[in-house]
Amino acid sequence: MQRRVRTRAIAAVSALGLMGVLGGCGGGGSSDVTLKLVAADYGDSAANSSEKYWADLVERYEADHPGVTVDVSVHSWTDVDREVKEMVDAGDPPDLAQIGAYADYAADGLLYQADDLLSIPVQADFLSQLASAGQVDGIQYGMPFASSTRVLFYNKELFAEAGLTPPKTWDDLAANAEALKAEGVKYPYALPLGPEEAQAETMQWLLSGEGGYTDLMGAYTIDSVENVETFNWLKNELVGKGLTGPVAPGELDRAEAFAAFAAGDVGMLNGHPSLMEMAEKKGVEYGMVPTPGADEESRSTLGVADWMMAFKKNGHRDEVGEFLDFVYSEENVLDFSREYDLLPVTNSASRAMSASGQDKDLEPFLDQLPTSELYPVGTTSWAAVSAEIKKRIGKAVAPGGSPAGVLGAIQAAATRAESAE
């Protein structure tokens, strides 16, 4: 259901009654401008809805920018990408959208380039790997808005009862899962390969096996030898031995796995920062370690970013640019990151967070960020490929399933999607 925050307009009249501010819209008449922003909701209740974050930010911005009104519509993650697509298809895109992907709109020539909007210091402040992920053909269109990485969470109480130490390798993880199963733990290792977020769990495991979705040139390598070996190990050493719980991985969604961890029913799982608060609310004592790899700690982890983009249709380039400079100030980036247990997307806010004692719980995720790898979001085929992963990957570890066959089918779909661009 759509929720709307309508911020108040402040009259834009200079002392002489002649000059409007921020006249980037050009032309005569009134210079008042309304910017429409569609944003995703990062809250899990009305109490911490993103509506409150944007309402406060916009009120402060409008107070210093008479003549500019920012109209923010906040939608759930279930709806927000669809809402923006419907607006674009109807020929009425918002000025700004803060959603999950940008590449399709960039490929269709609908977006401003970041350097047409942002001041040089603001654009240069983005973390380098996030700025690169926002590029199509070497030009940045997607501006990172929020980021996170993954670490391995484990239940300290369950580990203590079984006499375990946190795993560093796959063999350690499998041995720990065996011991937890013997203690009656419902999900020794929770493996959510259900359609909600299967692409995340899959990539985390592929990276830990020194594989991934693409090679250094950006070509899909989903059925590589390394990736097939990773899923053979998962199928034979975890799923096949009953170490992933009563729900088949292909039917277990990430939200369900997180809820089970917060209920004390999971020994280990890959998680992002929001799991900390969920576990704390339920009184679950947890630890966090880098993701185990095949022979040592994984050298890379999954990084995820959500994106801000600006559509050209309505003009207002100058107003949009000045508003985004404000959005990406150190103060505002820190406020948002702290409110929702996410990682800053700028160097300045990351340094401030690293130096602050109040953010110590995010330190494991911050430490992982420089070596994290993101989805191939800069290619327009990724949306289709991600959908194929969500649809098929659970079958790779199911009884009678073939990791090589399933990964090969996804690779073939990826090749077709690339050819269709």
Side-chain angles (χ1 to χ4, degrees):
M1 181 178 69
Q2 177 176 324
R3 292 174 290 180
R4 181 173 291 272
V5 178
R6 176 73 180 184
T7 56
R8 62 187 178 86
I10 300 176
V13 181
S14 71
L16 296 177
L18 297 173
M19 187 196 317
V21 297
L22 299 176
C25 55
S30 172
S31 62
D32 287 1
V33 168
T34 296
L35 301 179
K36 293 183 179 181
L37 165 62
V38 176
D41 193 352
Y42 289 82
D44 56 13
S45 68
N48 70 342
S49 168
S50 294
E51 288 181 344
K52 293 188 175 182
Y53 171 80
W54 286 112
D56 173 72
L57 183 147
V58 166
E59 183 176 8
R60 288 184 285 114
Y61 184 78
E62 289 182 347
D64 288 334
H65 296 80
V68 178
T69 299
V70 185
D71 185 350
V72 185
S73 298
V74 176
H75 302 262
S76 73
W77 272 109
T78 304
D79 300 327
V80 68
D81 290 283
R82 174 182 53 79
E83 291 281 349
V84 171
K85 184 178 187 303
E86 289 177 355
M87 294 172 73
V88 172
D89 290 346
D92 186 28
D95 297 281
L96 292 152
Q98 186 271 297
I99 52 177
Y102 68 88
D104 285 353
Y105 300 127
D108 290 340
L110 302 179
L111 302 181
Y112 282 115
Q113 297 178 22
D115 57 8
D116 286 338
L117 300 167
L118 302 173
S119 64
I120 292 173
V122 169
Q123 188 174 6
D125 197 26
F126 288 131
L127 293 167
S128 60
Q129 74 269 40
L130 300 181
S132 296
Q135 296 178 357
V136 174
D137 295 330
I139 298 173
Q140 185 179 359
Y141 297 93
M143 292 160 279
F145 183 75
S147 68
S148 67
T149 58
R150 300 296 196 269
V151 299
L152 184 78
F153 282 73
Y154 65 94
N155 183 307
K156 285 187 172 182
E157 182 178 350
L158 297 179
F159 265 56
E161 290 172 353
L164 302 175
T165 57
K168 293 184 177 181
T169 68
W170 289 357
D171 287 344
D172 294 341
L173 187 148
N176 284 355
E178 288 275 14
L180 291 165
K181 181 182 179 182
E183 292 287 324
V185 175
K186 189 174 182 179
Y187 294 89
Y189 177 85
L191 182 66
L193 296 178
E196 179 196 4
E197 205 181 35
Q199 81 285 0
E201 183 74 10
T202 297
M203 185 167 172
Q204 184 78 357
W205 276 98
L206 298 185
L207 291 172
S208 71
E210 299 190 0
Y213 288 139
T214 61
D215 61 19
L216 294 176
M217 301 302 293
Y220 287 110
T221 55
I222 294 168
D223 63 348
S224 68
V225 171
E226 294 83 0
N227 292 347
V228 172
E229 288 180 350
T230 294
F231 266 80
N232 278 331
W233 188 89
L234 280 173
K235 182 176 186 295
N236 298 328
E237 301 301 325
L238 284 187
V239 182
K241 293 183 178 180
L243 303 179
T244 55
V247 180
E251 298 174 7
L252 182 67
D253 280 335
R254 189 266 308 164
E256 184 181 355
F258 277 21
F261 186 84
D265 292 331
V266 175
M268 300 172 283
L269 83 169
N270 289 322
H272 54 65
S274 68
L275 183 55
M276 296 187 299
E277 184 177 1
M278 290 181 63
E280 289 165 0
K281 284 181 178 179
K282 297 291 187 177
V284 172
E285 291 190 27
Y286 61 88
M288 299 181 292
V289 293
T291 304
D295 301 310
E296 59 185 353
E297 289 180 359
S298 179
R299 287 180 286 184
S300 184
T301 189
L302 170 65
V304 177
D306 303 322
W307 302 95
M308 179 74 77
M309 63 213 69
F311 289 88
K312 296 189 291 187
K313 177 73 179 290
N314 300 326
H316 305 155
R317 186 186 73 176
D318 292 345
E319 292 86 352
V320 168
E322 290 209 16
F323 178 65
L324 288 175
D325 276 358
F326 183 74
V327 167
Y328 285 108
S329 69
E330 180 181 318
E331 174 190 357
N332 288 327
V333 172
L334 274 174
D335 284 348
F336 179 84
S337 301
R338 286 167 172 163
E339 176 66 28
Y340 298 106
D341 284 329
L342 292 166
L343 303 183
V345 297
T346 62
N347 288 294
S348 58
S350 293
R351 287 192 297 268
M353 184 173 279
S354 296
S356 172
Q358 78 178 88
D359 302 303
K360 194 167 182 61
D361 56 346
L362 286 172
E363 194 171 293
F365 301 96
L366 283 168
D367 290 345
Q368 297 278 347
L369 192 56
T371 58
S372 65
E373 292 192 27
L374 280 74
Y375 303 128
V377 291
T379 174
T380 56
S381 63
W382 170 241
V385 174
S386 178
E388 285 292 320
I389 294 167
K390 292 178 181 181
K391 176 182 176 182
R392 297 176 181 266
I393 198 63
K395 299 174 184 177
V397 296
S402 166
V406 170
L407 292 173
I410 297 172
Q411 175 67 36
T415 301
R416 291 193 298 271
E418 280 282 271
S419 299
E421 288 188 5

